[in-house]
Amino acid sequence: GGFASLQHRNVMRTEVCQFSGFKIYPGHGSKYVRIDNKAFVFVNAKCMKTFKRKVNNRNVQWTQVYRRVHKKGTTTEVTKRKARKVVKVQRDIVGASLAQIQQKKSQRPEIRAASREAALKEIKDRKKKQSDAAKKAKTTTAAPTAKTAAAAGGKKASSKKAATKKSAAAPAAKKTA
């Protein structure tokens, strides 16, 4: 039992390829030491050869460096923008200034209700007066006078006479033909 607790974990020490940016696991890859004593680690011979030819790894499409520089394969999380808080602004409206609106708001509900009812009653009275005046005007113009009745009857009689004249004229036209 005590032996298991003394065991320590083996941690793999991976390195990164100097050219491609790929991970190099233990037992893989090769090290190249330049004449100035600087060491480079590569994942395979392909990477070493392109490095020795002085090819820029930012322009080689299969390298991780190229992908990082050109933003390939990165998933960008869409960040939700904060909604701005709506600020209520009290403005004056037609027929009431801002001061009047504030005054009405500050009144007690009973007083406000009473003044509202009084205003509604006044509007109803005004409408009633207008409708009464309109009815009076109708009754005075609606009573037919003798002249209007005769004119209406005369038009009908004259139209009947014209119709009989036309019917009498039609057989006379046929006789001449």
Side-chain angles (χ1 to χ4, degrees):
F3 181 71
S5 63
L6 293 175
Q7 263 185 342
H8 66 280
R9 282 186 158 163
N10 271 344
V11 179
M12 272 201 302
R13 197 167 142 244
T14 59
E15 294 184 78
V16 178
C17 176
Q18 214 73 38
F19 184 79
S20 65
F22 296 145
K23 278 185 180 178
I24 305 171
Y25 291 96
H28 296 271
S30 56
K31 193 174 266 189
Y32 169 70
V33 181
R34 220 166 34 190
I35 202 150
D36 61 350
N37 218 16
K38 190 163 188 215
F40 299 95
V41 186
F42 301 104
V43 73
N44 55 20
K46 177 184 179 182
C47 292
M48 187 186 282
K49 286 174 186 172
T50 46
F51 176 80
K52 283 181 178 176
R53 278 189 284 142
K54 296 184 179 177
V55 175
N56 190 346
N57 57 359
R58 290 189 203 107
N59 301 333
V60 180
Q61 291 189 357
W62 51 267
T63 62
Q64 287 295 84
V65 180
Y66 172 90
R67 293 182 68 76
R68 204 173 305 121
V69 169
H70 294 87
K71 296 181 176 80
K72 303 289 180 189
T74 55
T75 55
T76 54
E77 288 183 26
V78 179
T79 53
K80 248 188 173 179
R81 293 193 313 183
K82 284 186 179 178
R84 290 189 298 178
K85 288 184 179 178
V86 178
V87 180
K88 279 194 175 182
V89 179
Q90 189 73 44
R91 295 191 193 135
D92 54 338
I93 55 172
V94 178
S97 68
L98 187 61
Q100 289 172 331
I101 293 169
Q102 292 294 341
Q103 182 186 0
K104 283 197 176 183
K105 269 190 176 179
S106 63
Q107 282 179 350
R108 286 186 301 178
E110 304 91 45
I111 298 169
R112 204 178 328 153
S115 63
R116 187 170 178 266
E117 285 177 21
L120 287 172
K121 190 176 182 183
E122 182 188 332
I123 291 167
K124 280 183 183 177
D125 290 343
R126 199 180 316 138
K127 280 187 178 177
K128 193 175 182 183
K129 283 180 185 176
Q130 285 178 350
S131 63
D132 289 345
K135 282 180 184 175
K136 275 188 179 178
K138 266 189 180 177
T139 55
T140 55
T141 56
T145 58
K147 284 183 181 177
T148 56
K155 283 181 187 173
K156 285 180 185 173
S158 63
S159 63
K160 282 181 184 175
K161 287 177 185 175
T164 54
K165 281 182 184 176
K166 281 182 186 174
S167 60
K174 283 182 184 174
K175 287 177 186 173
T176 56

